[in-house]
Amino acid sequence: MKEISNEYLKIYRSVIIRLWLVTAICAGAFAAFGIFKSEYCVFAVIVCGVFAGFSLGSTISIFACPKEFERRLKKAPNDVCEEILNGKFSALGARRFYENYLLYYTRTKIHIVKYDEIKRVEIKSILKAELTLESRKKLSLPTAFEENSAVICAAFKSKNPKIEFVINGKTIEKTDEKGRKK
């Protein structure tokens, strides 16, 4: 569990740093131009307060995410816990492909999805894909700029050949459970 928490925090610590850096630059710019001593002081305090509040809220949610994931994992069935905590996985970017589950991170949550539950993967943009589950729930799957979405799709296809892939609104290929074209 500690390995998953450390990996998540390693990925999102740069977000925390950037948020607080923007807040400090904003406050520094207001101070440098003397706005805190002018009649616009209230405006400057409000703007800096909004930046600081957003940064603080984001920081708290990022640090709380691993604890919330640990709580959810304790409530999960034993086979899920065993596979996530002790199972072998293949890492592809910020995703872990276990035998039966996908573990991936978003800014506010660590997700576990069973491959059999994934009905469709749609490439939305260079940095985002969307998973549609059998329950019609849609999950965002972020991708890094340097990652290739086709490689991620191939990894899904190797785990569950029934998954439908959509790019620009067009289904790429439908296959049966053995990976053959229908």
Side-chain angles (χ1 to χ4, degrees), residues 121-168:
V121 177
E122 183 173 356
I123 306 299
K124 292 287 193 179
S125 69
I126 294 172
L127 300 176
K128 183 181 173 191
E130 185 177 82
L131 304 177
T132 304
L133 305 180
E134 287 182 352
S135 64
R136 297 183 193 234
K137 182 178 179 182
K138 295 186 179 201
L139 299 173
S140 177
L141 179 71
T143 58
F145 185 72
E146 66 274 357
E147 291 180 322
N148 186 342
S149 299
V151 173
I152 296 169
C153 288
F156 279 113
K157 195 64 133 175
S158 71
K159 296 294 186 179
N160 183 0
K162 295 179 184 177
I163 296 175
E164 179 181 310
F165 295 97
V166 178
I167 298 176
N168 296 331

Side-chain angles (χ1 to χ4, degrees), residues 32-35 40 59 62-63 73 82 108 113-114 117 129 138 165 171 181:
F33 288 111
I35 295 178
Y40 300 111
T59 301
I62 288 172
F63 279 120
L73 195 60
E82 183 64 30
T108 58
V113 180
K114 191 170 184 173
E117 294 176 359
K138 295 186 179 201
F165 295 97
T171 302
K181 282 188 178 182

Side-chain angles (χ1 to χ4, degrees), residues 4 20 32 35 37 56 71 80 88 94 124 160 162:
I4 293 171
W20 285 106
I35 295 178
K37 295 179 182 175
L56 181 63
R71 187 180 48 76
V80 175
K88 293 183 180 181
K124 292 287 193 179
N160 183 0
K162 295 179 184 177

Side-chain angles (χ1 to χ4, degrees), residues 11 23-24 34 36 48-49 58 82 94 107 110 118 121 140 159:
I11 291 169
T23 303
F36 287 119
C48 289
S58 295
E82 183 64 30
R107 189 178 292 179
I110 300 173
I118 301 171
V121 177
S140 177
K159 296 294 186 179

